[in-house]
Amino acid sequence: MKFAIIGGGPAGLYFSILVKKWNPAIEIDLFERNGPDDTFGWGVVFSDKTLSYLKAEDEPSYEAITERFATWDNVDIVYRDEKITVGGNKFSGIARIEILHILQHRAAELGVNIHFRSPILDIDSFTGYDLLVGADGVMSETRSRFAEDFKPDISTRSNKYIWYGTRHLFNGLTLTFRENGAGVFAAHSYKFDKTTSTFIVECDEETWQQAGFAEMDDASTRRYLQQVFHLDLQGAELLSNNSKWLNFLLVRNRNWFITQNKKPNTVLLGDSLATVHFSIGSGTQACSRRFYRAFPCLKNSHSFSRKWPGGG
């Protein structure tokens, strides 16, 4: 059997690892548009529950990931200079580039053929495969190509957000509210290694317009937000990694798999299937839970070339 995976993020990589562990004879081609050292954003977060899944499914990658973790068990809320701490919420963070490197190495070790810098120009070119996995993100071309079958529901949320890093360490999952003449800003922050934290800033459309961000370049935007959160950053700068203002896209699909005649059966994973708002945790964590549920379907199927379990 031959599987094709579009997208080399955590969802696509980890799925390829599970498939190879289950059946090493399956040939897997994974296509990633970027290079092995390219990533956008900063850190990702895992709960203890998700870590237990990682350990149960593939201990070598679990060991490599946990060796590089920063951990905490508190959630902090900062409002009008008062900090409220809620304990007993154990989370762990890791740099996104670190987890990508770990999963890339593990997948290659198991025999996955990873094709970097390989954007897919034609979704219909995969006729020689038994299964096509669309793990190609929130703007999924796989989902768009088969939208009539997956029946996606995509809505654009009104708030703006921008994803930065900082060398100031936030020793807990921290939600900070600050206000100035333009309006109210919220920061979602957490450390993910010994030197760096994720720092996501969110505001509503009116505040964004009043602040004048539409006319600001990257450096000006960072200076402005550093001033808004100067008490919290304690003099540390905000770090950019292709950071841009975005509106959150809420993605849902009625179907996560489709069966096709004369074409490979197709499934969606990760953000192409469903997105999770950064205020309630990690999208990486959520997508890992989804494919733990999906993988038993794959293992119980007898013929991918004709029918995906549950399909028509």
mmCIF file with all atom_site columns, all heavy atoms in Angstrom, residues 5-6 11-16 133-137 140 256 267-274 287 290-292 294-295:
data_model
loop_
_atom_site.group_PDB
_atom_site.id
_atom_site.type_symbol
_atom_site.label_atom_id
_atom_site.label_alt_id
_atom_site.label_comp_id
_atom_site.label_asym_id
_atom_site.label_entity_id
_atom_site.label_seq_id
_atom_site.pdbx_PDB_ins_code
_atom_site.Cartn_x
_atom_site.Cartn_y
_atom_site.Cartn_z
_atom_site.occupancy
_atom_site.B_iso_or_equiv
_atom_site.pdbx_formal_charge
_atom_site.auth_seq_id
_atom_site.auth_comp_id
_atom_site.auth_asym_id
_atom_site.auth_atom_id
_atom_site.pdbx_PDB_model_num
ATOM 1   N N   . ILE A 1 5   ? 0.977   11.983 2.254  1.00 0.00 ? 5   ILE A N   1
ATOM 2   C CA  . ILE A 1 5   ? 0.606   12.954 3.276  1.00 0.00 ? 5   ILE A CA  1
ATOM 3   C C   . ILE A 1 5   ? 1.028   14.329 2.786  1.00 0.00 ? 5   ILE A C   1
ATOM 4   O O   . ILE A 1 5   ? 2.201   14.541 2.454  1.00 0.00 ? 5   ILE A O   1
ATOM 5   C CB  . ILE A 1 5   ? 1.281   12.644 4.628  1.00 0.00 ? 5   ILE A CB  1
ATOM 6   C CG1 . ILE A 1 5   ? 0.877   11.255 5.128  1.00 0.00 ? 5   ILE A CG1 1
ATOM 7   C CG2 . ILE A 1 5   ? 0.932   13.708 5.659  1.00 0.00 ? 5   ILE A CG2 1
ATOM 8   C CD1 . ILE A 1 5   ? 1.616   10.807 6.378  1.00 0.00 ? 5   ILE A CD1 1
ATOM 9   N N   . ILE A 1 6   ? 0.087   15.250 2.730  1.00 0.00 ? 6   ILE A N   1
ATOM 10  C CA  . ILE A 1 6   ? 0.392   16.629 2.342  1.00 0.00 ? 6   ILE A CA  1
ATOM 11  C C   . ILE A 1 6   ? 0.466   17.454 3.620  1.00 0.00 ? 6   ILE A C   1
ATOM 12  O O   . ILE A 1 6   ? -0.518  17.622 4.334  1.00 0.00 ? 6   ILE A O   1
ATOM 13  C CB  . ILE A 1 6   ? -0.687  17.199 1.402  1.00 0.00 ? 6   ILE A CB  1
ATOM 14  C CG1 . ILE A 1 6   ? -0.838  16.324 0.165  1.00 0.00 ? 6   ILE A CG1 1
ATOM 15  C CG2 . ILE A 1 6   ? -0.322  18.627 0.998  1.00 0.00 ? 6   ILE A CG2 1
ATOM 16  C CD1 . ILE A 1 6   ? -1.955  16.779 -0.755 1.00 0.00 ? 6   ILE A CD1 1
ATOM 17  N N   . ALA A 1 11  ? 1.022   17.193 12.903 1.00 0.00 ? 11  ALA A N   1
ATOM 18  C CA  . ALA A 1 11  ? -0.040  16.222 12.609 1.00 0.00 ? 11  ALA A CA  1
ATOM 19  C C   . ALA A 1 11  ? 0.390   15.232 11.536 1.00 0.00 ? 11  ALA A C   1
ATOM 20  O O   . ALA A 1 11  ? 0.287   14.015 11.705 1.00 0.00 ? 11  ALA A O   1
ATOM 21  C CB  . ALA A 1 11  ? -1.313  16.948 12.181 1.00 0.00 ? 11  ALA A CB  1
ATOM 22  N N   . GLY A 1 12  ? 0.875   15.744 10.409 1.00 0.00 ? 12  GLY A N   1
ATOM 23  C CA  . GLY A 1 12  ? 1.289   14.863 9.327  1.00 0.00 ? 12  GLY A CA  1
ATOM 24  C C   . GLY A 1 12  ? 2.458   13.978 9.702  1.00 0.00 ? 12  GLY A C   1
ATOM 25  O O   . GLY A 1 12  ? 2.484   12.785 9.380  1.00 0.00 ? 12  GLY A O   1
ATOM 26  N N   . LEU A 1 13  ? 3.451   14.543 10.388 1.00 0.00 ? 13  LEU A N   1
ATOM 27  C CA  . LEU A 1 13  ? 4.629   13.775 10.781 1.00 0.00 ? 13  LEU A CA  1
ATOM 28  C C   . LEU A 1 13  ? 4.278   12.670 11.768 1.00 0.00 ? 13  LEU A C   1
ATOM 29  O O   . LEU A 1 13  ? 4.711   11.519 11.625 1.00 0.00 ? 13  LEU A O   1
ATOM 30  C CB  . LEU A 1 13  ? 5.681   14.703 11.380 1.00 0.00 ? 13  LEU A CB  1
ATOM 31  C CG  . LEU A 1 13  ? 6.462   15.560 10.381 1.00 0.00 ? 13  LEU A CG  1
ATOM 32  C CD1 . LEU A 1 13  ? 7.212   16.669 11.109 1.00 0.00 ? 13  LEU A CD1 1
ATOM 33  C CD2 . LEU A 1 13  ? 7.435   14.707 9.568  1.00 0.00 ? 13  LEU A CD2 1
ATOM 34  N N   . TYR A 1 14  ? 3.475   13.009 12.784 1.00 0.00 ? 14  TYR A N   1
ATOM 35  C CA  . TYR A 1 14  ? 3.188   12.005 13.800 1.00 0.00 ? 14  TYR A CA  1
ATOM 36  C C   . TYR A 1 14  ? 2.291   10.896 13.235 1.00 0.00 ? 14  TYR A C   1
ATOM 37  O O   . TYR A 1 14  ? 2.449   9.725  13.583 1.00 0.00 ? 14  TYR A O   1
ATOM 38  C CB  . TYR A 1 14  ? 2.543   12.642 15.031 1.00 0.00 ? 14  TYR A CB  1
ATOM 39  C CG  . TYR A 1 14  ? 2.744   11.795 16.275 1.00 0.00 ? 14  TYR A CG  1
ATOM 40  C CD1 . TYR A 1 14  ? 3.980   11.743 16.889 1.00 0.00 ? 14  TYR A CD1 1
ATOM 41  C CD2 . TYR A 1 14  ? 1.718   11.031 16.797 1.00 0.00 ? 14  TYR A CD2 1
ATOM 42  C CE1 . TYR A 1 14  ? 4.180   10.948 18.010 1.00 0.00 ? 14  TYR A CE1 1
ATOM 43  C CE2 . TYR A 1 14  ? 1.905   10.231 17.913 1.00 0.00 ? 14  TYR A CE2 1
ATOM 44  C CZ  . TYR A 1 14  ? 3.149   10.203 18.518 1.00 0.00 ? 14  TYR A CZ  1
ATOM 45  O OH  . TYR A 1 14  ? 3.347   9.399  19.604 1.00 0.00 ? 14  TYR A OH  1
ATOM 46  N N   . PHE A 1 15  ? 1.380   11.260 12.367 1.00 0.00 ? 15  PHE A N   1
ATOM 47  C CA  . PHE A 1 15  ? 0.558   10.247 11.720 1.00 0.00 ? 15  PHE A CA  1
ATOM 48  C C   . PHE A 1 15  ? 1.424   9.278  10.920 1.00 0.00 ? 15  PHE A C   1
ATOM 49  O O   . PHE A 1 15  ? 1.208   8.062  10.938 1.00 0.00 ? 15  PHE A O   1
ATOM 50  C CB  . PHE A 1 15  ? -0.483  10.909 10.821 1.00 0.00 ? 15  PHE A CB  1
ATOM 51  C CG  . PHE A 1 15  ? -1.515  9.961  10.281 1.00 0.00 ? 15  PHE A CG  1
ATOM 52  C CD1 . PHE A 1 15  ? -2.569  9.539  11.066 1.00 0.00 ? 15  PHE A CD1 1
ATOM 53  C CD2 . PHE A 1 15  ? -1.434  9.481  8.979  1.00 0.00 ? 15  PHE A CD2 1
ATOM 54  C CE1 . PHE A 1 15  ? -3.528  8.659  10.575 1.00 0.00 ? 15  PHE A CE1 1
ATOM 55  C CE2 . PHE A 1 15  ? -2.378  8.605  8.480  1.00 0.00 ? 15  PHE A CE2 1
ATOM 56  C CZ  . PHE A 1 15  ? -3.428  8.192  9.283  1.00 0.00 ? 15  PHE A CZ  1
ATOM 57  N N   . SER A 1 16  ? 2.419   9.807  10.221 1.00 0.00 ? 16  SER A N   1
ATOM 58  C CA  . SER A 1 16  ? 3.310   8.940  9.444  1.00 0.00 ? 16  SER A CA  1
ATOM 59  C C   . SER A 1 16  ? 4.083   7.998  10.361 1.00 0.00 ? 16  SER A C   1
ATOM 60  O O   . SER A 1 16  ? 4.325   6.836  10.004 1.00 0.00 ? 16  SER A O   1
ATOM 61  C CB  . SER A 1 16  ? 4.273   9.782  8.603  1.00 0.00 ? 16  SER A CB  1
ATOM 62  O OG  . SER A 1 16  ? 5.293   10.379 9.393  1.00 0.00 ? 16  SER A OG  1
ATOM 63  N N   . VAL A 1 133 ? -3.692  11.910 2.777  1.00 0.00 ? 133 VAL A N   1
ATOM 64  C CA  . VAL A 1 133 ? -3.914  12.572 4.056  1.00 0.00 ? 133 VAL A CA  1
ATOM 65  C C   . VAL A 1 133 ? -3.670  14.065 3.879  1.00 0.00 ? 133 VAL A C   1
ATOM 66  O O   . VAL A 1 133 ? -2.560  14.485 3.548  1.00 0.00 ? 133 VAL A O   1
ATOM 67  C CB  . VAL A 1 133 ? -2.985  12.014 5.155  1.00 0.00 ? 133 VAL A CB  1
ATOM 68  C CG1 . VAL A 1 133 ? -3.211  12.749 6.482  1.00 0.00 ? 133 VAL A CG1 1
ATOM 69  C CG2 . VAL A 1 133 ? -3.209  10.521 5.331  1.00 0.00 ? 133 VAL A CG2 1
ATOM 70  N N   . GLY A 1 134 ? -4.706  14.858 4.084  1.00 0.00 ? 134 GLY A N   1
ATOM 71  C CA  . GLY A 1 134 ? -4.579  16.309 4.008  1.00 0.00 ? 134 GLY A CA  1
ATOM 72  C C   . GLY A 1 134 ? -4.274  16.876 5.382  1.00 0.00 ? 134 GLY A C   1
ATOM 73  O O   . GLY A 1 134 ? -5.171  17.110 6.178  1.00 0.00 ? 134 GLY A O   1
ATOM 74  N N   . ALA A 1 135 ? -2.984  17.093 5.653  1.00 0.00 ? 135 ALA A N   1
ATOM 75  C CA  . ALA A 1 135 ? -2.550  17.719 6.904  1.00 0.00 ? 135 ALA A CA  1
ATOM 76  C C   . ALA A 1 135 ? -1.914  19.061 6.570  1.00 0.00 ? 135 ALA A C   1
ATOM 77  O O   . ALA A 1 135 ? -0.880  19.441 7.124  1.00 0.00 ? 135 ALA A O   1
ATOM 78  C CB  . ALA A 1 135 ? -1.566  16.804 7.633  1.00 0.00 ? 135 ALA A CB  1
ATOM 79  N N   . ASP A 1 136 ? -2.541  19.763 5.641  1.00 0.00 ? 136 ASP A N   1
ATOM 80  C CA  . ASP A 1 136 ? -1.946  20.962 5.046  1.00 0.00 ? 136 ASP A CA  1
ATOM 81  C C   . ASP A 1 136 ? -2.502  22.266 5.601  1.00 0.00 ? 136 ASP A C   1
ATOM 82  O O   . ASP A 1 136 ? -2.539  23.285 4.916  1.00 0.00 ? 136 ASP A O   1
ATOM 83  C CB  . ASP A 1 136 ? -2.079  20.926 3.517  1.00 0.00 ? 136 ASP A CB  1
ATOM 84  C CG  . ASP A 1 136 ? -3.443  20.511 3.014  1.00 0.00 ? 136 ASP A CG  1
ATOM 85  O OD1 . ASP A 1 136 ? -4.267  20.046 3.813  1.00 0.00 ? 136 ASP A OD1 1
ATOM 86  O OD2 . ASP A 1 136 ? -3.690  20.642 1.805  1.00 0.00 ? 136 ASP A OD2 1
ATOM 87  N N   . GLY A 1 137 ? -2.914  22.238 6.865  1.00 0.00 ? 137 GLY A N   1
ATOM 88  C CA  . GLY A 1 137 ? -3.143  23.473 7.593  1.00 0.00 ? 137 GLY A CA  1
ATOM 89  C C   . GLY A 1 137 ? -4.487  24.138 7.401  1.00 0.00 ? 137 GLY A C   1
ATOM 90  O O   . GLY A 1 137 ? -5.377  23.636 6.713  1.00 0.00 ? 137 GLY A O   1
ATOM 91  N N   . SER A 1 140 ? -6.092  24.681 3.968  1.00 0.00 ? 140 SER A N   1
ATOM 92  C CA  . SER A 1 140 ? -5.908  23.403 3.288  1.00 0.00 ? 140 SER A CA  1
ATOM 93  C C   . SER A 1 140 ? -6.400  23.390 1.842  1.00 0.00 ? 140 SER A C   1
ATOM 94  O O   . SER A 1 140 ? -7.574  23.629 1.559  1.00 0.00 ? 140 SER A O   1
ATOM 95  C CB  . SER A 1 140 ? -6.635  22.306 4.077  1.00 0.00 ? 140 SER A CB  1
ATOM 96  O OG  . SER A 1 140 ? -6.661  21.104 3.360  1.00 0.00 ? 140 SER A OG  1
ATOM 97  N N   . TRP A 1 256 ? -14.688 13.907 8.041  1.00 0.00 ? 256 TRP A N   1
ATOM 98  C CA  . TRP A 1 256 ? -13.223 13.920 8.128  1.00 0.00 ? 256 TRP A CA  1
ATOM 99  C C   . TRP A 1 256 ? -12.580 12.945 7.156  1.00 0.00 ? 256 TRP A C   1
ATOM 100 O O   . TRP A 1 256 ? -11.377 12.931 6.987  1.00 0.00 ? 256 TRP A O   1
ATOM 101 C CB  . TRP A 1 256 ? -12.761 13.634 9.554  1.00 0.00 ? 256 TRP A CB  1
ATOM 102 C CG  . TRP A 1 256 ? -13.072 12.245 10.061 1.00 0.00 ? 256 TRP A CG  1
ATOM 103 C CD1 . TRP A 1 256 ? -14.248 11.796 10.561 1.00 0.00 ? 256 TRP A CD1 1
ATOM 104 C CD2 . TRP A 1 256 ? -12.182 11.131 10.111 1.00 0.00 ? 256 TRP A CD2 1
ATOM 105 N NE1 . TRP A 1 256 ? -14.153 10.470 10.926 1.00 0.00 ? 256 TRP A NE1 1
ATOM 106 C CE2 . TRP A 1 256 ? -12.887 10.053 10.669 1.00 0.00 ? 256 TRP A CE2 1
ATOM 107 C CE3 . TRP A 1 256 ? -10.836 10.949 9.748  1.00 0.00 ? 256 TRP A CE3 1
ATOM 108 C CZ2 . TRP A 1 256 ? -12.310 8.791  10.859 1.00 0.00 ? 256 TRP A CZ2 1
ATOM 109 C CZ3 . TRP A 1 256 ? -10.256 9.694  9.952  1.00 0.00 ? 256 TRP A CZ3 1
ATOM 110 C CH2 . TRP A 1 256 ? -10.999 8.637  10.503 1.00 0.00 ? 256 TRP A CH2 1
ATOM 111 N N   . VAL A 1 267 ? -8.425  11.732 3.859  1.00 0.00 ? 267 VAL A N   1
ATOM 112 C CA  . VAL A 1 267 ? -8.783  12.148 5.210  1.00 0.00 ? 267 VAL A CA  1
ATOM 113 C C   . VAL A 1 267 ? -8.130  13.493 5.510  1.00 0.00 ? 267 VAL A C   1
ATOM 114 O O   . VAL A 1 267 ? -7.133  13.870 4.886  1.00 0.00 ? 267 VAL A O   1
ATOM 115 C CB  . VAL A 1 267 ? -8.348  11.112 6.271  1.00 0.00 ? 267 VAL A CB  1
ATOM 116 C CG1 . VAL A 1 267 ? -9.000  9.773  6.021  1.00 0.00 ? 267 VAL A CG1 1
ATOM 117 C CG2 . VAL A 1 267 ? -6.830  10.973 6.311  1.00 0.00 ? 267 VAL A CG2 1
ATOM 118 N N   . LEU A 1 268 ? -8.687  14.213 6.470  1.00 0.00 ? 268 LEU A N   1
ATOM 119 C CA  . LEU A 1 268 ? -8.125  15.471 6.945  1.00 0.00 ? 268 LEU A CA  1
ATOM 120 C C   . LEU A 1 268 ? -7.598  15.288 8.362  1.00 0.00 ? 268 LEU A C   1
ATOM 121 O O   . LEU A 1 268 ? -8.207  14.594 9.179  1.00 0.00 ? 268 LEU A O   1
ATOM 122 C CB  . LEU A 1 268 ? -9.183  16.575 6.939  1.00 0.00 ? 268 LEU A CB  1
ATOM 123 C CG  . LEU A 1 268 ? -9.777  16.976 5.585  1.00 0.00 ? 268 LEU A CG  1
ATOM 124 C CD1 . LEU A 1 268 ? -10.838 18.044 5.782  1.00 0.00 ? 268 LEU A CD1 1
ATOM 125 C CD2 . LEU A 1 268 ? -8.692  17.460 4.624  1.00 0.00 ? 268 LEU A CD2 1
ATOM 126 N N   . LEU A 1 269 ? -6.478  15.944 8.647  1.00 0.00 ? 269 LEU A N   1
ATOM 127 C CA  . LEU A 1 269 ? -5.893  15.942 9.985  1.00 0.00 ? 269 LEU A CA  1
ATOM 128 C C   . LEU A 1 269 ? -5.450  17.352 10.351 1.00 0.00 ? 269 LEU A C   1
ATOM 129 O O   . LEU A 1 269 ? -5.178  18.187 9.487  1.00 0.00 ? 269 LEU A O   1
ATOM 130 C CB  . LEU A 1 269 ? -4.674  15.020 10.048 1.00 0.00 ? 269 LEU A CB  1
ATOM 131 C CG  . LEU A 1 269 ? -4.877  13.510 10.046 1.00 0.00 ? 269 LEU A CG  1
ATOM 132 C CD1 . LEU A 1 269 ? -3.521  12.824 10.108 1.00 0.00 ? 269 LEU A CD1 1
ATOM 133 C CD2 . LEU A 1 269 ? -5.742  13.066 11.214 1.00 0.00 ? 269 LEU A CD2 1
ATOM 134 N N   . GLY A 1 270 ? -5.330  17.617 11.651 1.00 0.00 ? 270 GLY A N   1
ATOM 135 C CA  . GLY A 1 270 ? -4.800  18.888 12.121 1.00 0.00 ? 270 GLY A CA  1
ATOM 136 C C   . GLY A 1 270 ? -5.720  20.055 11.824 1.00 0.00 ? 270 GLY A C   1
ATOM 137 O O   . GLY A 1 270 ? -6.947  19.928 11.815 1.00 0.00 ? 270 GLY A O   1
ATOM 138 N N   . ASP A 1 271 ? -5.114  21.219 11.558 1.00 0.00 ? 271 ASP A N   1
ATOM 139 C CA  . ASP A 1 271 ? -5.899  22.434 11.333 1.00 0.00 ? 271 ASP A CA  1
ATOM 140 C C   . ASP A 1 271 ? -6.735  22.372 10.063 1.00 0.00 ? 271 ASP A C   1
ATOM 141 O O   . ASP A 1 271 ? -7.682  23.150 9.920  1.00 0.00 ? 271 ASP A O   1
ATOM 142 C CB  . ASP A 1 271 ? -4.976  23.659 11.276 1.00 0.00 ? 271 ASP A CB  1
ATOM 143 C CG  . ASP A 1 271 ? -4.482  24.081 12.642 1.00 0.00 ? 271 ASP A CG  1
ATOM 144 O OD1 . ASP A 1 271 ? -5.029  23.601 13.653 1.00 0.00 ? 271 ASP A OD1 1
ATOM 145 O OD2 . ASP A 1 271 ? -3.535  24.896 12.704 1.00 0.00 ? 271 ASP A OD2 1
ATOM 146 N N   . SER A 1 272 ? -6.405  21.507 9.142  1.00 0.00 ? 272 SER A N   1
ATOM 147 C CA  . SER A 1 272 ? -7.254  21.375 7.951  1.00 0.00 ? 272 SER A CA  1
ATOM 148 C C   . SER A 1 272 ? -8.614  20.791 8.318  1.00 0.00 ? 272 SER A C   1
ATOM 149 O O   . SER A 1 272 ? -9.609  21.052 7.649  1.00 0.00 ? 272 SER A O   1
ATOM 150 C CB  . SER A 1 272 ? -6.580  20.496 6.904  1.00 0.00 ? 272 SER A CB  1
ATOM 151 O OG  . SER A 1 272 ? -6.378  19.184 7.389  1.00 0.00 ? 272 SER A OG  1
ATOM 152 N N   . LEU A 1 273 ? -8.649  20.030 9.411  1.00 0.00 ? 273 LEU A N   1
ATOM 153 C CA  . LEU A 1 273 ? -9.899  19.434 9.883  1.00 0.00 ? 273 LEU A CA  1
ATOM 154 C C   . LEU A 1 273 ? -10.637 20.340 10.853 1.00 0.00 ? 273 LEU A C   1
ATOM 155 O O   . LEU A 1 273 ? -11.846 20.566 10.718 1.00 0.00 ? 273 LEU A O   1
ATOM 156 C CB  . LEU A 1 273 ? -9.607  18.092 10.552 1.00 0.00 ? 273 LEU A CB  1
ATOM 157 C CG  . LEU A 1 273 ? -10.792 17.378 11.210 1.00 0.00 ? 273 LEU A CG  1
ATOM 158 C CD1 . LEU A 1 273 ? -11.857 17.032 10.176 1.00 0.00 ? 273 LEU A CD1 1
ATOM 159 C CD2 . LEU A 1 273 ? -10.313 16.115 11.921 1.00 0.00 ? 273 LEU A CD2 1
ATOM 160 N N   . ALA A 1 274 ? -9.932  20.877 11.843 1.00 0.00 ? 274 ALA A N   1
ATOM 161 C CA  . ALA A 1 274 ? -10.562 21.731 12.858 1.00 0.00 ? 274 ALA A CA  1
ATOM 162 C C   . ALA A 1 274 ? -9.494  22.552 13.560 1.00 0.00 ? 274 ALA A C   1
ATOM 163 O O   . ALA A 1 274 ? -8.397  22.057 13.828 1.00 0.00 ? 274 ALA A O   1
ATOM 164 C CB  . ALA A 1 274 ? -11.321 20.881 13.881 1.00 0.00 ? 274 ALA A CB  1
ATOM 165 N N   . CYS A 1 287 ? -4.871  18.479 17.830 1.00 0.00 ? 287 CYS A N   1
ATOM 166 C CA  . CYS A 1 287 ? -4.816  17.620 16.646 1.00 0.00 ? 287 CYS A CA  1
ATOM 167 C C   . CYS A 1 287 ? -4.245  16.259 17.008 1.00 0.00 ? 287 CYS A C   1
ATOM 168 O O   . CYS A 1 287 ? -4.641  15.244 16.432 1.00 0.00 ? 287 CYS A O   1
ATOM 169 C CB  . CYS A 1 287 ? -4.022  18.283 15.530 1.00 0.00 ? 287 CYS A CB  1
ATOM 170 S SG  . CYS A 1 287 ? -2.234  18.108 15.633 1.00 0.00 ? 287 CYS A SG  1
ATOM 171 N N   . ARG A 1 290 ? -7.016  14.117 18.153 1.00 0.00 ? 290 ARG A N   1
ATOM 172 C CA  . ARG A 1 290 ? -7.908  13.670 17.081 1.00 0.00 ? 290 ARG A CA  1
ATOM 173 C C   . ARG A 1 290 ? -7.348  12.451 16.356 1.00 0.00 ? 290 ARG A C   1
ATOM 174 O O   . ARG A 1 290 ? -8.076  11.521 16.040 1.00 0.00 ? 290 ARG A O   1
ATOM 175 C CB  . ARG A 1 290 ? -8.145  14.814 16.085 1.00 0.00 ? 290 ARG A CB  1
ATOM 176 C CG  . ARG A 1 290 ? -8.953  15.962 16.671 1.00 0.00 ? 290 ARG A CG  1
ATOM 177 C CD  . ARG A 1 290 ? -9.357  16.944 15.601 1.00 0.00 ? 290 ARG A CD  1
ATOM 178 N NE  . ARG A 1 290 ? -9.757  18.187 16.212 1.00 0.00 ? 290 ARG A NE  1
ATOM 179 C CZ  . ARG A 1 290 ? -9.004  19.283 16.244 1.00 0.00 ? 290 ARG A CZ  1
ATOM 180 N NH1 . ARG A 1 290 ? -7.826  19.266 15.664 1.00 0.00 ? 290 ARG A NH1 1
ATOM 181 N NH2 . ARG A 1 290 ? -9.422  20.375 16.824 1.00 0.00 ? 290 ARG A NH2 1
ATOM 182 N N   . PHE A 1 291 ? -6.041  12.461 16.074 1.00 0.00 ? 291 PHE A N   1
ATOM 183 C CA  . PHE A 1 291 ? -5.583  11.296 15.330 1.00 0.00 ? 291 PHE A CA  1
ATOM 184 C C   . PHE A 1 291 ? -5.396  10.083 16.220 1.00 0.00 ? 291 PHE A C   1
ATOM 185 O O   . PHE A 1 291 ? -5.302  8.969  15.717 1.00 0.00 ? 291 PHE A O   1
ATOM 186 C CB  . PHE A 1 291 ? -4.361  11.581 14.454 1.00 0.00 ? 291 PHE A CB  1
ATOM 187 C CG  . PHE A 1 291 ? -3.116  12.081 15.116 1.00 0.00 ? 291 PHE A CG  1
ATOM 188 C CD1 . PHE A 1 291 ? -2.433  11.324 16.063 1.00 0.00 ? 291 PHE A CD1 1
ATOM 189 C CD2 . PHE A 1 291 ? -2.601  13.302 14.754 1.00 0.00 ? 291 PHE A CD2 1
ATOM 190 C CE1 . PHE A 1 291 ? -1.258  11.785 16.630 1.00 0.00 ? 291 PHE A CE1 1
ATOM 191 C CE2 . PHE A 1 291 ? -1.423  13.770 15.322 1.00 0.00 ? 291 PHE A CE2 1
ATOM 192 C CZ  . PHE A 1 291 ? -0.759  13.020 16.255 1.00 0.00 ? 291 PHE A CZ  1
ATOM 193 N N   . TYR A 1 292 ? -5.380  10.247 17.537 1.00 0.00 ? 292 TYR A N   1
ATOM 194 C CA  . TYR A 1 292 ? -5.448  9.063  18.393 1.00 0.00 ? 292 TYR A CA  1
ATOM 195 C C   . TYR A 1 292 ? -6.803  8.378  18.232 1.00 0.00 ? 292 TYR A C   1
ATOM 196 O O   . TYR A 1 292 ? -6.919  7.157  18.316 1.00 0.00 ? 292 TYR A O   1
ATOM 197 C CB  . TYR A 1 292 ? -5.242  9.430  19.861 1.00 0.00 ? 292 TYR A CB  1
ATOM 198 C CG  . TYR A 1 292 ? -3.868  9.955  20.152 1.00 0.00 ? 292 TYR A CG  1
ATOM 199 C CD1 . TYR A 1 292 ? -3.690  11.118 20.881 1.00 0.00 ? 292 TYR A CD1 1
ATOM 200 C CD2 . TYR A 1 292 ? -2.736  9.298  19.678 1.00 0.00 ? 292 TYR A CD2 1
ATOM 201 C CE1 . TYR A 1 292 ? -2.434  11.612 21.126 1.00 0.00 ? 292 TYR A CE1 1
ATOM 202 C CE2 . TYR A 1 292 ? -1.480  9.788  19.926 1.00 0.00 ? 292 TYR A CE2 1
ATOM 203 C CZ  . TYR A 1 292 ? -1.329  10.947 20.648 1.00 0.00 ? 292 TYR A CZ  1
ATOM 204 O OH  . TYR A 1 292 ? -0.085  11.449 20.893 1.00 0.00 ? 292 TYR A OH  1
ATOM 205 N N   . ALA A 1 294 ? -8.609  8.718  15.383 1.00 0.00 ? 294 ALA A N   1
ATOM 206 C CA  . ALA A 1 294 ? -8.730  8.297  13.985 1.00 0.00 ? 294 ALA A CA  1
ATOM 207 C C   . ALA A 1 294 ? -7.915  7.056  13.680 1.00 0.00 ? 294 ALA A C   1
ATOM 208 O O   . ALA A 1 294 ? -8.319  6.231  12.848 1.00 0.00 ? 294 ALA A O   1
ATOM 209 C CB  . ALA A 1 294 ? -8.270  9.436  13.066 1.00 0.00 ? 294 ALA A CB  1
ATOM 210 N N   . PHE A 1 295 ? -6.777  6.904  14.359 1.00 0.00 ? 295 PHE A N   1
ATOM 211 C CA  . PHE A 1 295 ? -5.864  5.828  13.983 1.00 0.00 ? 295 PHE A CA  1
ATOM 212 C C   . PHE A 1 295 ? -6.463  4.436  14.135 1.00 0.00 ? 295 PHE A C   1
ATOM 213 O O   . PHE A 1 295 ? -6.197  3.565  13.286 1.00 0.00 ? 295 PHE A O   1
ATOM 214 C CB  . PHE A 1 295 ? -4.571  5.947  14.781 1.00 0.00 ? 295 PHE A CB  1
ATOM 215 C CG  . PHE A 1 295 ? -3.453  5.150  14.175 1.00 0.00 ? 295 PHE A CG  1
ATOM 216 C CD1 . PHE A 1 295 ? -2.941  5.487  12.935 1.00 0.00 ? 295 PHE A CD1 1
ATOM 217 C CD2 . PHE A 1 295 ? -2.923  4.062  14.829 1.00 0.00 ? 295 PHE A CD2 1
ATOM 218 C CE1 . PHE A 1 295 ? -1.923  4.749  12.359 1.00 0.00 ? 295 PHE A CE1 1
ATOM 219 C CE2 . PHE A 1 295 ? -1.900  3.319  14.269 1.00 0.00 ? 295 PHE A CE2 1
ATOM 220 C CZ  . PHE A 1 295 ? -1.400  3.671  13.032 1.00 0.00 ? 295 PHE A CZ  1
#
